[in-house]
Amino acid sequence: MAINNFAVQVNKAEIQIGNHQKTNQNKEQILQVNDDIFIKQNYQFVKFPLCEILYLEADNTYTNIFTQNKKYVIRQTITNILERFSLKNLVQIHRSYVVNINKIESFNEHEVLINNTPIPISRSHKDEFMRQFMFR
């Protein structure tokens, strides 16, 4: 019985260590230095200004970062990105979308248009989105 309990505890410890290593790997995929961001792509960090971000799109545990010229994919959730970085121009407008408020071409009650791409606005995020225009 004691050996069984020991094996269970060892298994739990291995899981915790594995989760900790995964968390550290995710944190190292995106870095911020002043107004620039570094994203790990193909084993190297690529730098671009934060102001070039058009929008972020959630895709399960991945986030697609769209700029004018390129799409970057990182293994980190939108929630983690928003919690870790001071991205004052990025506003969440949907569970799966965060937009750069300065890149919006037009919008209505249901969607935002950025770079000719329609992005939905959810009812739960609409009020927060509209507040961005009232306090600027």
Side-chain angles (χ1 to χ4, degrees):
M1 189 66 149
I3 293 174
N4 255 355
N5 288 339
F6 178 74
V8 168
Q9 293 302 321
V10 168
N11 191 25
K12 284 182 183 178
E14 287 173 346
I15 290 170
Q16 287 177 344
I17 290 169
N19 288 340
H20 179 71
Q21 288 173 345
K22 286 179 186 176
T23 302
N24 285 341
Q25 288 171 353
N26 287 345
K27 287 181 181 176
E28 294 171 359
Q29 288 198 352
I30 183 169
L31 305 169
Q32 182 180 359
V33 177
N34 300 323
D35 291 334
D36 294 319
I37 200 162
F38 289 86
I39 295 180
K40 193 169 191 176
Q41 298 287 293
N42 299 326
Y43 304 104
Q44 66 181 5
F45 284 94
V46 178
K47 176 184 172 183
F48 63 90
L50 279 171
C51 63
E52 284 187 11
I53 295 176
L54 298 175
Y55 62 95
L56 310 178
E57 179 185 34
D59 185 11
N60 200 6
T61 58
Y62 292 88
T63 299
N64 300 314
I65 300 175
F66 291 88
T67 65
Q68 191 76 33
N69 303 322
K70 197 166 181 182
K71 171 185 164 185
Y72 300 95
V73 180
I74 60 170
R75 189 163 191 244
Q76 197 165 101
T77 64
I78 280 183
T79 305
N80 289 343
I81 292 171
L82 293 176
E83 287 173 356
R84 281 191 61 209
F85 300 105
S86 59
L87 307 171
K88 57 185 176 230
N89 293 330
L90 297 182
V91 179
Q92 190 157 10
I93 62 168
H94 188 277
R95 178 177 59 170
S96 299
Y97 292 97
V98 173
V99 298
N100 184 340
I101 203 93
N102 296 325
K103 300 294 183 177
I104 294 174
E105 296 167 4
S106 65
F107 69 91
N108 60 33
E109 284 186 34
H110 307 290
E111 66 185 15
V112 166
L113 191 67
I114 295 180
N115 202 31
N116 293 322
T117 304
I119 301 168
I121 301 173
S122 71
R123 286 179 284 166
S124 60
H125 290 92
K126 187 158 89 172
D127 290 340
E128 178 62 30
F129 172 68
M130 293 307 292
R131 274 192 226 112
Q132 299 300 313
F133 296 101
M134 294 177 195
F135 294 116
R136 287 184 178 246

